[in-house]
Amino acid sequence: MSLHDLAARALHALDPEDAHGLAIRGLKLGLGPRDGGADDPILAVEIAGLALPNCVGLAAGFDKNAEVPDAMLAAGFGFVEAGTVTPLAQAGNPRPRLFRLTEDRAVINRMGFNNGGLEPFAARLAARKGKNGVVGANIGANKDATDRIQDYVTGLTRLWGLSDYFTANISSPNTPGLRALQTKAALEELLGRLAEARVGLKAASGRDYPIFLKVAPDLEDGEVEAIVETVVGAGLDAIIVSNTTIARPETLKSPLAGESGGLSGAPLLAPSTAVLRRFHAAAAGRVALIGAGGIASGADAYAKIRAGAQAVQLYSALVYGGPGLVVRIKRELTARLRADGFAAVQDAVGAA
């Protein structure tokens, strides 16, 4: 076990949110792990025109304010998604709002899009211009916005040219009414306005950037197909499946299982992968898919890929696996791909 992993375990003695803040400060000081080896070429993928050295990404929520994307790239992630960022800074929901379900290797959060706002986020991305590595921006709406869709357009516009891709997060359960944007009429309006803004930004800058949509796992029959058709119709580039769940499996053992908010971690693996398979069937190759939810091993990442994901993202597993987890996942995933005779990640996409 590395010193970084031991430090991660020591952080469990602190309140979860305080521990996370301390981890961010340590990373800003250059105290994070470094993956010194080159990625095995078998893990390289291209998604929405982005060339990734490996298919294992850091999900949004870890680096809300784009403070440590380069530190997490150095730790071994193939891409990093910063945010969620909203146009105006907001404090989020009252504390406590982050809970470790240690017995279940899970997390519940009801953070409420706490972040410092677009301007400092944009300044940090501008400061890393010219550096290597793919860094995306996860954009959201302020809780008290009168026009939430405009907040997404504002985020896209302000960060255009500073981020390698954008993710519209409409699936957090912790901003009241936000998930209603997944309904057909609201989603058509949101994606239509984003697509319109994209056309203007592309014309003005001469550059285009991929736009992804992040969805919830808690979708009814027919909603998956409707989302796919709307995404394809609007010309978006990928769907991230999925965000946290409001469901509470009966298998949860932790006394904190009844806390409100979104559940992530190990219990989310099976349901989010099942929803991913539905998206893969509905998309039929027309839009790229990124698998998220419950990934804590190379086997988990491989299951997402075989279910239809071209790349994967993780966050909650770092709480229990430590910062060296990403290197272990890449090593295990490489071994599984080779054992099954695949020459590249893309060859395994949708294989099961």
Side-chain angles (χ1 to χ4, degrees):
M1 183 175 292
S2 71
L3 288 175
H4 293 106
D5 291 334
L6 288 170
R9 286 197 174 187
L11 289 175
H12 278 233
L14 303 177
D15 168 85
E17 191 168 345
D18 291 340
H20 183 75
L22 189 59
I24 293 292
R25 289 195 290 275
L27 289 164
K28 289 171 70 173
L29 291 171
L31 301 178
R34 301 188 69 85
D35 180 8
D39 285 319
D40 192 305
I42 199 173
L43 298 179
V45 296
E46 182 174 311
I47 185 165
L50 301 170
L52 307 178
N54 73 74
C55 63
V56 183
L58 177 67
F62 181 88
D63 187 11
K64 287 178 175 291
N65 294 302
E67 296 177 282
V68 292
D70 292 297
M72 298 312 285
L73 289 168
F77 284 100
F79 61 111
V80 167
E81 190 167 308
T84 299
V85 61
T86 56
L88 302 177
Q90 61 182 24
N93 294 322
R95 294 181 65 169
R97 54 191 180 180
L98 183 63
F99 308 90
R100 298 186 196 98
L101 280 64
T102 304
E103 299 90 338
D104 306 295
R105 299 188 75 79
V107 172
I108 290 176
N109 92 83
R110 50 173 181 264
M111 305 298 286
F113 284 174
N114 58 305
N115 72 101
L118 268 176
E119 290 309 314
F121 190 100
R124 293 185 188 105
L125 290 185
R128 72 172 303 275
K129 288 288 284 185
K131 292 186 178 181
N132 293 326
V134 172
V135 176
N138 185 296
I139 54 177
N142 281 112
K143 181 178 181 179
D144 58 355
T146 56
D147 182 353
R148 283 184 172 169
I149 291 177
Q150 181 57 44
D151 275 13
Y152 289 90
V153 174
T154 298
L156 183 74
T157 302
R158 179 64 183 90
L159 300 176
W160 194 262
L162 301 176
S163 176
D164 294 304
Y165 71 89
F166 298 88
T167 297
N169 183 359
I170 60 171
S171 49
S172 168
N174 301 315
T175 297
L178 188 75
R179 286 191 174 192
L181 290 174
Q182 293 179 133
T183 59
K184 192 172 190 301
L187 187 60
E188 286 177 346
E189 182 182 359
L190 169 65
L191 300 191
R193 285 171 64 177
L194 284 175
E196 181 182 7
R198 182 184 194 176
V199 169
L201 291 164
K202 181 181 177 181
S205 67
R207 295 287 306 275
D208 193 16
Y209 298 92
I211 302 178
F212 303 165
L213 180 71
K214 188 167 187 175
V215 299
D218 312 303
L219 297 171
E220 302 294 333
D221 290 344
E223 288 185 316
V224 168
E225 293 76 15
I227 289 172
V228 167
E229 295 308 319
T230 305
V231 165
V232 172
L236 265 68
D237 302 274
I239 303 172
I240 300 176
V241 187
S242 66
N243 211 320
T244 59
T245 180
I246 57 175
R248 294 293 184 270
E250 294 181 359
T251 55
L252 294 178
K253 301 180 180 65
S254 171
L256 298 173
E259 293 288 347
S260 63
L263 174 71
S264 59
L268 185 55
L269 178 65
S272 62
T273 305
V275 175
L276 175 62
R277 288 193 189 94
R278 291 167 57 195
F279 271 96
H280 178 64
R286 293 175 295 164
V287 63
L289 300 173
I290 297 171
I295 296 171
S297 68
D300 298 339
Y302 192 42
K304 297 285 189 187
I305 292 165
R306 292 182 68 100
Q310 292 173 244
V312 300
Q313 291 180 322
L314 62 98
Y315 166 18
S316 295
L318 296 177
V319 173
Y320 301 102
L325 179 64
V326 62
V327 174
R328 297 193 291 272
I329 287 176
K330 291 191 297 182
R331 183 173 62 245
E332 293 166 6
L333 178 56
T334 297
R336 285 181 175 267
L337 288 165
R338 294 200 186 284
D340 285 348
F342 294 115
V345 167
Q346 186 60 46
D347 297 336
V349 174

